[in-house]
Amino acid sequence: MEEKFQRSYRQSSVKFKKPDNLLLKGGSVYNAEKRQLEKLDIVLAKGKIDRVGVVGEKNFKGKVFDAKGMSIVPGLLDIHVHFREPGREDKETLTTGADSAAAGGFTGVCTMPNTDPATDNREIVEFIKDGFSNHLVDVYPIAAITKGRKGEQLVEMAELVDAGVVAFSDDGSAVSNPLVVRRALEYSRMFDTLIIEHCEDKYLAQNGVMHEGYMSTKLGLAGIPSIAEELILARDIMLAEYTSGRLHIAHISTAGAIELVRRAKADGVKVTCEVTPHHFTLTDEAIEGYDTNFKMNPPLRTSEDVKAVIKGLKDGTIDTIATDHAPHTIEDKDVEFDAAPFGVIGLETAIGLAYSELVRKKKLSFVDVIEKLSVNPYRILGLPVPQFREGVKANLTVIDTEENWVVDKNDFKSRSRNTPFDGWKLTGRSKAVVNKNLFLDN
């Protein structure tokens, strides 16, 4: 196949190991049936789980990883990342993005289609998948809903599903034409796949750079009102109900939007949603210093919206935590607030923020958080959830919930540095990941 775009061949910055035998000793292992952690050892042989139980270390021949005091959970899956390749390899490549994911504890990612050119055909999907062929991290490409992400003509869904696509989204912009959304939901039913919407009415949001409210008025910045998100969401919920299609809401951010999803679920509509760590951690008050690393879309909302997000996570209205990892160069972000692009990176801070802000503050249990970072994304996409039983492929993340660390953007494996959390003191960090018979310890 002759490629129409340049492959960015880059050596991985992380060194994976491939031990024939690996013993994870003394960790607390996630039990899906009981929804709890149990202290067990795990023996891996050539990438598969060989034994789960108490193992005598003296008689074991192989590498031993001391997991005492740590949690062993199904490999984390980020349902929403932007790796910029093809098109903007100066921001992130498939390799640097995958390295960032592995360092953050993720063994799988779903790449969004707003690449250049857009991920709207088999050739680009195969290009992306090939970029992960020798990496520990699995990739599950998400293709555009419409050709060129222009919101007009549907992509060839059957061909893209056959190529390995797990969902469809014009992420970065909502599909404005409701007839196109309807057809997308109807056709996606044939493949039992998701339509993922970035809910924002472009006419209500035009020229906005932050949440519309008191702070935008105070700072003299154009605002994006909550109703811009809620209007598209309400429309799409009605269309999902009408078509019986499966709808997933990307990066939900407002109290009103969460309530719409809550009601829709109660009515039996096939709708799920995700939230980012920055939307359960920060408010629009963080923009007071005009730091463009706090500029993202959807924008940071109010404290009342953050409270609604926490409630939605707690009662199950919000199904997953996704990073919306959106890398930008220093040059792109080092401009006035109005001119800066939307987006922040998040793969390497997700565990720390989720544990520090949700578990330590007793908003959610650790098991709840793990299921929103791992189990639920797999289930929503219709993918097999990694399990801890003999004979299955090992796909796991080891987390130290006691480690205190300080975020240093210069230590990131990502090629970009646009994080709003530089210097934050967090608790909880990935210490190892295993997948594809590869092992990485941090």
Side-chain angles (χ1 to χ4, degrees), residues 78-239:
D78 193 337
I79 203 171
H80 190 145
V81 302
H82 303 268
F83 283 175
R84 306 304 189 198
E85 186 178 4
R88 287 301 304 266
E89 292 81 2
D90 56 326
K91 298 185 179 188
E92 194 83 281
T93 68
L94 298 174
T95 300
T96 60
D99 287 349
S100 180
F106 292 89
T107 62
V109 294
C110 296
T111 53
M112 282 295 176
N114 54 340
T115 49
D116 184 15
T119 307
D120 62 2
N121 61 71
R122 176 186 286 271
E123 184 180 22
I124 300 179
V125 171
E126 291 177 348
F127 172 87
I128 291 170
K129 290 177 66 178
D130 181 62
F132 285 78
S133 59
N134 297 316
H135 205 284
L136 179 148
V137 174
D138 290 314
V139 63
Y140 303 100
I142 294 173
I145 295 173
T146 62
K147 293 183 179 181
R149 295 177 50 251
K150 295 180 179 179
E152 299 169 359
Q153 186 178 359
L154 289 179
V155 296
E156 299 293 337
M157 286 190 171
E159 179 180 336
L160 287 163
V161 170
D162 182 66
V165 162
V166 296
F168 297 88
S169 176
D170 273 4
D171 187 58
S173 57
V175 179
S176 297
N177 189 330
L179 179 59
V180 175
V181 179
R182 173 188 174 177
R183 296 301 184 219
L185 286 163
E186 289 172 336
Y187 290 136
S188 66
R189 286 181 57 198
M190 298 171 60
F191 315 105
D192 192 28
T193 192
L194 286 177
I195 295 299
I196 302 176
E197 264 280 48
H198 172 119
C199 293
E200 181 182 72
D201 184 278
K202 63 181 180 181
Y203 301 104
L204 289 170
Q206 62 180 338
N207 302 320
V209 296
M210 67 172 293
H211 173 70
E212 181 181 278
Y214 170 78
M215 286 305 299
S216 65
T217 302
K218 178 181 177 180
L219 299 176
L221 295 172
I224 301 173
S226 296
I227 196 172
E229 180 172 321
E230 294 155 10
L231 185 66
I232 296 296
L233 176 55
R235 180 202 71 175
D236 287 353
I237 284 173
M238 294 174 70
L239 288 168

Side-chain angles (χ1 to χ4, degrees), residues 95-398:
T95 300
T96 60
D99 287 349
S100 180
F106 292 89
T107 62
V109 294
C110 296
T111 53
M112 282 295 176
N114 54 340
T115 49
D116 184 15
T119 307
D120 62 2
N121 61 71
R122 176 186 286 271
E123 184 180 22
I124 300 179
V125 171
E126 291 177 348
F127 172 87
I128 291 170
K129 290 177 66 178
D130 181 62
F132 285 78
S133 59
N134 297 316
H135 205 284
L136 179 148
V137 174
D138 290 314
V139 63
Y140 303 100
I142 294 173
I145 295 173
T146 62
K147 293 183 179 181
R149 295 177 50 251
K150 295 180 179 179
E152 299 169 359
Q153 186 178 359
L154 289 179
V155 296
E156 299 293 337
M157 286 190 171
E159 179 180 336
L160 287 163
V161 170
D162 182 66
V165 162
V166 296
F168 297 88
S169 176
D170 273 4
D171 187 58
S173 57
V175 179
S176 297
N177 189 330
L179 179 59
V180 175
V181 179
R182 173 188 174 177
R183 296 301 184 219
L185 286 163
E186 289 172 336
Y187 290 136
S188 66
R189 286 181 57 198
M190 298 171 60
F191 315 105
D192 192 28
T193 192
L194 286 177
I195 295 299
I196 302 176
E197 264 280 48
H198 172 119
C199 293
E200 181 182 72
D201 184 278
K202 63 181 180 181
Y203 301 104
L204 289 170
Q206 62 180 338
N207 302 320
V209 296
M210 67 172 293
H211 173 70
E212 181 181 278
Y214 170 78
M215 286 305 299
S216 65
T217 302
K218 178 181 177 180
L219 299 176
L221 295 172
I224 301 173
S226 296
I227 196 172
E229 180 172 321
E230 294 155 10
L231 185 66
I232 296 296
L233 176 55
R235 180 202 71 175
D236 287 353
I237 284 173
M238 294 174 70
L239 288 168
E241 183 175 27
Y242 184 73
T243 62
S244 295
R246 294 176 58 211
L247 174 68
H248 181 78
I249 308 304
H251 41 50
I252 200 165
S253 71
T254 78
I258 294 164
E259 184 58 30
L260 284 168
V261 172
R262 183 178 288 113
R263 292 177 183 175
K265 286 189 170 187
D267 291 339
V269 181
K270 298 174 184 177
V271 58
T272 53
C273 65
E274 69 193 40
V275 74
T276 69
H278 44 271
H279 282 117
F280 62 68
T281 304
L282 302 168
T283 71
D284 57 349
E285 293 182 2
I287 299 172
E288 194 157 15
Y290 296 95
D291 184 342
T292 59
N293 287 318
F294 291 89
K295 183 180 180 181
M296 63 279 292
N297 192 7
L300 297 175
R301 304 290 187 180
T302 69
S303 59
E304 293 304 311
D305 293 306
V306 172
K307 290 177 183 177
V309 165
I310 301 297
K311 180 181 178 182
L313 283 166
K314 193 170 184 177
D315 68 17
T317 300
I318 299 174
D319 304 90
T320 71
I321 295 171
T323 66
D324 191 9
H325 179 83
H328 293 291
T329 64
I330 294 173
E331 293 77 15
D332 285 335
K333 280 288 194 178
D334 191 18
V335 294
E336 63 183 20
F337 201 89
D338 281 341
F342 293 104
V344 299
I345 55 175
L347 283 163
E348 296 173 64
T349 53
I351 289 176
L353 289 168
Y355 193 83
S356 299
E357 296 297 316
L358 299 176
V359 181
R360 292 198 76 192
K361 294 183 178 180
K362 302 187 183 304
K363 307 294 185 183
L364 271 74
S365 71
F366 180 60
V367 167
D368 286 336
V369 166
I370 289 307
E371 290 177 345
K372 292 181 189 297
L373 283 167
S374 174
V375 178
N376 292 355
Y378 281 103
R379 287 177 176 168
I380 287 170
L381 293 169
L383 299 170
V385 180
Q387 298 181 24
F388 297 110
R389 57 184 179 84
E390 295 177 7
V392 303
K393 185 187 81 167
N395 182 349
L396 58 87
T397 302
V398 182

Side-chain angles (χ1 to χ4, degrees), residues 16-59:
F16 302 118
K17 301 170 186 176
K18 196 172 183 178
D20 286 336
N21 295 289
L22 174 65
L23 169 61
L24 302 175
K25 182 70 177 176
S28 297
V29 180
Y30 170 80
N31 184 313
E33 293 181 1
K34 297 180 181 179
R35 296 191 69 245
Q36 65 183 32
L37 298 170
E38 300 176 338
K39 190 171 182 180
L40 295 167
D41 302 329
I42 297 180
V43 174
L44 309 181
K46 295 183 178 179
K48 292 187 177 181
I49 294 180
D50 186 61
R51 282 176 286 168
V52 179
V54 179
V55 178
E57 186 177 340
K58 291 182 179 180
N59 299 321

